[in-house]
Amino acid sequence: IQAHVCLKANKPDLIGKSEDRVAFIQLRGVIGDFNSSITDNCYKHKEKEALVKAVGEAMGRLAPKLKDLNKILEKNEYLLGYITYLDFNLAELVERFSQMDAEIGTAVTTEYPALLAHVKRVLELPGVKEYRASDRFQARPHNGGFAGWH
């Protein structure tokens, strides 16, 4: 759906340039793994201690991928060197998991300063900043009511 919207809006670079298509697909998979690995645990574990433990275990598996994303963003403003919808997806996830870190004591984002800087950069983009300041923006919940953290 995201790719379709980008094409309908005549913004094909938001789905990656043709020469970057393989990297785009790989990054989309890594971001999807990051999202599902943490979010799934929010639904599986209702108690804070169990959730923190499960997220810590997931981070053990995710750390190499997140280190790679962090390295990319140490060198580039955006994942492919120009903005794509993946940058928006990643910024949303890192912001969400940073809030989880602060609220329940997980450590999903604490070791990735370039990922945190990426969130700030994306949130300051024209249009994004204005939307988030509007009454249309809904900051919470991140997960449904059945999740242990939402």
Side-chain angles (χ1 to χ4, degrees):
I1 291 173
Q2 290 175 316
H4 178 75
V5 169
C6 293
L7 293 173
K8 284 292 191 185
N10 200 27
K11 302 284 186 183
D13 283 356
L14 287 176
I15 60 171
K17 297 175 183 173
S18 59
E19 62 268 20
D20 298 323
R21 200 57 39 104
V22 171
F24 181 90
I25 292 167
Q26 290 172 330
L27 288 164
R28 186 177 64 196
V30 169
I31 292 167
D33 289 347
F34 178 39
N35 180 39
S36 62
S37 294
I38 304 300
T39 302
D40 289 355
N41 281 306
C42 290
Y43 285 92
K44 290 179 186 174
H45 304 284
K46 305 293 184 202
E47 292 82 29
K48 176 183 170 184
E49 295 78 21
L51 177 57
V52 171
K53 180 180 178 194
V55 167
E57 291 168 0
M59 286 307 299
R61 294 184 303 275
L62 289 170
K65 292 178 182 182
L66 293 175
K67 285 179 185 174
D68 288 344
L69 289 174
N70 197 70
K71 284 181 188 174
I72 290 169
L73 292 169
E74 285 174 345
K75 298 174 187 168
N76 300 311
E77 239 183 346
Y78 301 108
L79 290 167
L80 292 174
Y82 55 92
I83 197 157
T84 68
Y85 78 76
L86 296 178
D87 291 293
F88 294 99
N89 291 160
L90 181 60
E92 177 189 0
L93 293 177
V94 173
E95 180 186 36
R96 181 176 4 142
F97 298 137
S98 177
Q99 288 175 354
M100 187 170 73
D101 291 345
E103 291 174 14
I104 68 169
T106 54
V108 177
T109 63
T110 54
E111 296 183 33
Y112 306 103
L115 290 177
L116 294 169
H118 180 258
V119 171
K120 289 179 184 175
R121 197 168 28 257
V122 170
L123 296 184
E124 289 295 318
L125 287 170
V128 174
K129 185 176 183 178
E130 291 79 7
Y131 168 71
R132 289 175 61 94
S134 77
D135 58 358
R136 297 178 319 168
F137 175 67
Q138 182 179 355
R140 295 296 276 269
H142 296 303
N143 297 306
F146 295 109
W149 180 81
H150 48 277

